Amino acid sequence: MELRTRPLVLLISTCSLAVLTCFYLFPFSNTGIDDRLRTKQKNSFQAPKENIWSELSNQEAKDVYEFVFDELSYLNLTKHPKSNRENFIVVLETLRPNKTDAVPYLRDDAAIPERWAMARVAQVMEDEPYMVHYMVGPLPVGSDTQVLPLDYVFNSGRNYVANPVQDFFAIMEFGLSLAENVSDITQDLLGAVVNRNDPSDPKGLLCWPRPSRIERGGLSMWFEFFRPGTASGARTILPQGIYVKVDASSHNTDDWTAGQFYYNGYLYDTENDFRKAWQKPDFSRAGINQDGSWTDTEDFESKPAGRELPPPVAVQPYGPRYRLDKEQKFVSWFGFEFYITTAQATGLTLFDIRFKGKRVMYELGLQEAMAHYAGDDPMQGGLEFMDSFFGMGLNMFELVPGYDCPAYADYLDSRFHQTTHSYEHPNSICLFEYTADHLLSRHSAQYSVTASRNTYLVVRSVSTVGNYDYTIEYIFYLDGAIEVKIRASGFIFGSFFAHTNEDEYGHRIQEALSSSMHDHVINFKADLDVATQENDIVRLAWEPLTKSYPWDGPEIEERNTMHIVEYPVEKETAMDWPKNGGEFYVVMSSEEKNAWGERKGYRIAAGTGMGSPPHLTILNSTTLGDSARWAERDLWVLQRKDNEPRSADPLNYFAPHDPLIDFTKMANHETLKHGEGSEYDGDLVVYFNLGAHHLPHSGDIPNTLMHTSASSVMFVPHNFADRDPSRESVQGVRLQLKGKKGSGGFAGEQSEAASGDLRTRVARRAEAGEGHKAMYFGQTYEEGMKLPLEALEPDLVGRFESEEIGVTDLGFNGSAAGLWEREQ
């Protein structure tokens, strides 16, 4: 624990703080399984090791809260904060163990790593509000438990960030006041005014800031008028085209001032200038962006042919074929094994992913989800979101059975702890097996046809951050491939259509609404351990070649052809998806080889989405600064280090030009050569991006559709096994066609004694020697099934547990910056 116990002299001097601180397959019979037996089998399955990355239990959180309140008593921490001028615990969660401590426990019989918690504290220092990170442990709380500054995971040299949001209520109050000051103008131009008594009045207006302009001395914000879109949650496609700049740099809210106004392509220096222009008879008016049925995401009335019948659904009549330890969140399926956990900022992460007993990844999970806009108005022109700031895990809400996931899926809860409270989101993770509408493999020979079903395992969650719903899934295939996939839906963040608009940043998509081009760049971490921890990465390049071959002459002197050239990646670097798919990126074991002498590897490839996942278009983003340099290329390969566990931190949002984690300090071209004489041990990590260049069009109204907004990256076995690993676990059939003797049969067909075995059983459609024959590999359905209605159409009224979903509104109050506001 050397990294964790390093004292933070800087924090002490600056902040005047004291440092106290086997693969299993259910043996189903051909006639089905008794539900009680199936339940017993599921419940009796146990993980081989404890989930050392799991969220804090409610009791652990309670004990840590009490301990921190006692140890940091000089801070006068409050349980019910009323402003950011008070000290309180914002976030409490597991501080995941260092890999150097975890691997010996997972691999050998070493002691279980110490368990620690991370506490993010809203803390006033030198009369300014900050967010400060602490580590608390070891757990359970005892005589040796300490509260220490958590600094080793940040390469900024500090564990704190200034909170520029001095008073969220003051921001909202100022917006209301400036809207009321121009209510005569808004009534004339927009046909509505703000309603102080009911800000969500569907007939009224909202006046909200763009929260991205965070300056070193405070805040400088552009406010925009919106209609609330209360019924459908459509506020982000209901901008009203009046913008007001507010200087909130002073800590004294009485000193805040409204400055420039912007409307219909014209910038006015003051409210008085805007008012004088409005009063002139030749004042140029824009349209009005009204709410209406066009924002409804449902149509209950239309009845095209076919809608009177429900669509096909998948069922699972014999129960799941994976095994799940719900307490440890450990899964086993056809050679794959892994642990599931969550975090408030990043949501779902998988650990210790193994295939056929060999670890292929230590960690696989989201790091940050960024959306960066462009436009010709003050809102869209500098708009960006870093969604871990709002919480991809905090906003993982309950999934809809039969819709988000099949009715038969297993559902897991997620837990989080804030301001001394513990919360649970029920059924926020689902796990299920699914058979695709396309085969895993097939082949037609002259007298036979072989078809193998493509069945895979999915772990899925949905994070709803404001206007967008991100479906994130990890998919496991029978051949050992792993896919990370993201799909987006929800309302776009549109811009107001003014008569001065051109199609430079988007398209006109409603009477007074324009789309805004934006990049979604969503960063993931893959800590690969392909068969061993010592790995190398190479580029296998397809290159043209002109070469003379002795067998070509004399007709051809030189042949134009191609060959593979291997380029070792010998230092930390960024890579983009190659032109024409002309390179393979393969992570290879430095030691392990298959039976043919080839190094075991996994290839990193663009997956099954809409195309190659993109990186950020904008160069040196004015808004992002150094907070998201990982977004500037497609993927990165780095040395893995305990003190570099993440590519980003949610509080980078507060300090974009001096972030807590600066990715450029991680990707600093260190060597990837290892072996004798090198301090680097060969343990590498890959950071890769998913997302899309999104140019919304009329089809994005009211919601973006998932099938056109999907992207993925796949990790595909490359010489990892001696042959296709799926052959022994896939389900399928071989049809032997009627033909001449010896034209091809079933292996071992003459051995009738084996006919009862599932892998060699022959099912004949006709008497021996007549017609076709079929042999099934794997289990088949033998009897008709009587399925309950619940298996086809779940009772959502009875099964859905959530009473209210606290979706963030993308304002400061939807983040840790305004967490205290929820206590009111």
Side-chain angles (χ1 to χ4, degrees), residues 585-596:
Y585 303 143
V586 184
V587 177
M588 295 180 173
S589 171
S590 303
E591 303 171 353
E592 296 265 344
K593 297 182 179 179
N594 67 11
W596 323 118

Side-chain angles (χ1 to χ4, degrees), residues 389-458:
F389 177 72
F390 301 100
M392 294 291 282
L394 288 176
N395 292 286
M396 270 172 45
F397 300 113
E398 185 171 4
L399 300 166
V400 181
Y403 292 84
D404 279 316
C405 313
Y408 58 79
D410 272 298
Y411 293 86
L412 304 173
D413 303 335
S414 57
R415 180 188 305 116
F416 60 96
H417 313 281
Q418 289 188 336
T419 60
T420 71
H421 302 299
S422 294
Y423 304 89
E424 283 200 356
H425 283 161
N427 306 323
S428 54
I429 303 166
C430 72
L431 175 73
F432 61 91
E433 205 178 4
Y434 201 79
T435 299
D437 63 350
H438 61 280
L439 294 175
L440 185 64
S441 66
R442 79 176 314 280
H443 181 64
S444 293
Q446 186 172 5
Y447 294 108
S448 65
V449 178
T450 301
S452 300
R453 284 178 172 151
N454 184 12
T455 304
Y456 48 82
L457 183 73
V458 180

Side-chain angles (χ1 to χ4, degrees), residues 536-703:
D536 301 298
I537 186 167
V538 300
R539 295 165 38 225
L540 298 180
W542 266 237
E543 294 187 358
L545 174 69
T546 299
K547 185 174 182 179
S548 296
Y549 296 95
W551 41 262
D552 259 340
E555 293 84 5
I556 300 175
E557 294 184 3
E558 289 187 322
R559 178 173 294 275
N560 292 328
T561 182
M562 61 183 176
H563 65 159
I564 299 172
V565 181
E566 179 177 311
Y567 296 101
V569 179
E570 297 183 338
K571 64 179 181 180
E572 295 180 332
T573 190
M575 296 184 288
D576 293 331
W577 299 116
K579 180 182 179 182
N580 194 34
E583 291 187 356
F584 282 7
Y585 303 143
V586 184
V587 177
M588 295 180 173
S589 171
S590 303
E591 303 171 353
E592 296 265 344
K593 297 182 179 179
N594 67 11
W596 323 118
E598 299 289 349
R599 296 168 66 185
K600 295 188 173 188
Y602 262 73
R603 175 190 170 197
I604 308 170
T608 60
M610 286 287 288
S612 296
H615 56 261
L616 185 63
T617 304
I618 299 169
L619 302 177
N620 294 317
S621 166
T622 309
T623 306
L624 289 176
D626 293 323
S627 64
R629 294 292 181 183
W630 45 263
E632 296 176 343
R633 302 290 295 274
D634 290 334
L635 62 156
W636 306 74
V637 56
L638 310 180
Q639 291 186 9
R640 191 218 61 82
K641 300 177 182 178
D642 282 340
N643 61 349
E644 293 179 351
R646 289 201 50 208
S647 62
D649 185 84
L651 295 187
N652 280 7
Y653 195 71
F654 277 161
H657 300 287
D658 187 18
L660 275 176
I661 297 177
D662 183 345
F663 189 73
T664 62
K665 296 180 181 178
M666 297 170 58
N668 56 355
H669 309 293
E670 292 181 287
T671 184
L672 294 179
K673 293 182 180 180
H674 56 94
E676 187 175 353
S678 175
E679 295 183 359
Y680 169 56
D681 62 2
D683 193 1
L684 59 81
V685 62
V686 171
Y687 290 95
F688 63 96
N689 294 322
L690 300 183
H693 299 309
H694 192 185
L695 178 57
H697 56 91
S698 59
D700 286 277
I701 298 300
N703 271 188

Side-chain angles (χ1 to χ4, degrees), residues 93-107:
E93 62 184 3
T94 301
L95 178 60
R96 292 169 179 169
N98 295 328
K99 185 180 180 181
T100 51
D101 297 323
V103 167
Y105 168 71
L106 299 170
R107 183 183 58 206

Side-chain angles (χ1 to χ4, degrees), residues 355 440-441 477-480 723-731:
F355 184 63
L440 185 64
S441 66
Y477 294 90
L478 291 169
D479 67 330
R723 66 173 188 181
D724 171 23
S726 72
R727 179 175 166 181
E728 65 191 42
S729 49
V730 71
Q731 313 283 116

Side-chain angles (χ1 to χ4, degrees), residues 95-168:
L95 178 60
R96 292 169 179 169
N98 295 328
K99 185 180 180 181
T100 51
D101 297 323
V103 167
Y105 168 71
L106 299 170
R107 183 183 58 206
D108 307 315
D109 292 326
I112 190 169
E114 289 183 344
R115 189 160 168 81
W116 287 67
M118 184 278 290
R120 185 183 301 140
V121 177
Q123 184 173 331
V124 177
M125 300 187 299
E126 299 179 353
D127 201 36
E128 298 295 330
Y130 282 78
M131 295 284 187
V132 186
H133 293 87
Y134 295 93
M135 51 191 289
V136 186
L139 304 180
V141 172
S143 59
D144 58 345
T145 302
Q146 307 174 74
V147 178
L148 300 172
L150 173 60
D151 67 324
Y152 77 92
V153 297
F154 306 118
N155 59 22
S156 60
R158 66 186 195 282
N159 69 331
Y160 54 87
V161 171
N163 183 354
V165 185
Q166 302 283 330
D167 190 336
F168 172 76

Side-chain angles (χ1 to χ4, degrees), residues 57-71:
S57 69
N58 290 350
Q59 186 61 52
E60 284 179 316
K62 180 177 180 295
D63 293 343
V64 171
Y65 277 129
E66 291 177 355
F67 183 79
V68 172
F69 267 73
D70 183 57
E71 288 294 299

Side-chain angles (χ1 to χ4, degrees), residues 242-385:
I242 299 178
Y243 311 84
V244 189
K245 189 174 184 179
V246 173
D247 180 356
S249 57
S250 173
H251 295 166
N252 184 354
T253 57
D254 293 336
D255 295 334
W256 292 2
T257 57
Q260 295 172 315
F261 278 67
Y262 184 82
Y263 176 76
N264 202 19
Y266 292 94
L267 186 66
Y268 304 93
D269 287 337
T270 66
E271 176 191 328
N272 189 47
D273 291 338
F274 180 42
R275 184 175 295 280
K276 287 181 179 178
W278 164 65
Q279 291 171 341
K280 293 180 179 179
D282 61 348
F283 180 71
S284 177
R285 296 169 177 266
I288 299 178
N289 192 18
Q290 292 277 17
D291 200 358
S293 61
W294 65 277
T295 68
D296 292 342
T297 56
E298 320 78 14
D299 182 345
F300 295 103
E301 305 302 326
S302 296
K303 298 179 181 179
R307 204 180 187 191
E308 73 279 5
L309 294 175
V313 296
V315 296
Q316 182 182 259
Y318 285 0
R321 303 189 304 166
Y322 56 83
R323 290 213 166 179
L324 170 64
D325 181 340
K326 277 199 169 185
E327 182 177 349
Q328 296 298 330
K329 294 185 177 176
F330 177 79
V331 180
S332 177
W333 178 79
F334 286 107
F336 273 114
E337 296 178 332
F338 55 87
Y339 292 85
I340 299 172
T341 192
T342 59
Q344 296 185 39
T346 55
L348 194 63
T349 299
L350 308 184
F351 279 95
D352 197 29
I353 302 172
R354 300 178 185 234
F355 184 63
K356 303 296 184 183
K358 293 285 188 179
R359 182 185 300 120
V360 295
M361 288 189 194
Y362 173 78
E363 178 183 356
L364 180 62
L366 183 141
Q367 303 292 291
E368 183 59 272
M370 183 267 291
H372 202 319
Y373 290 72
D376 58 359
D377 67 54
M379 179 63 72
Q380 304 300 117
L383 191 64
E384 53 83 22
F385 295 107

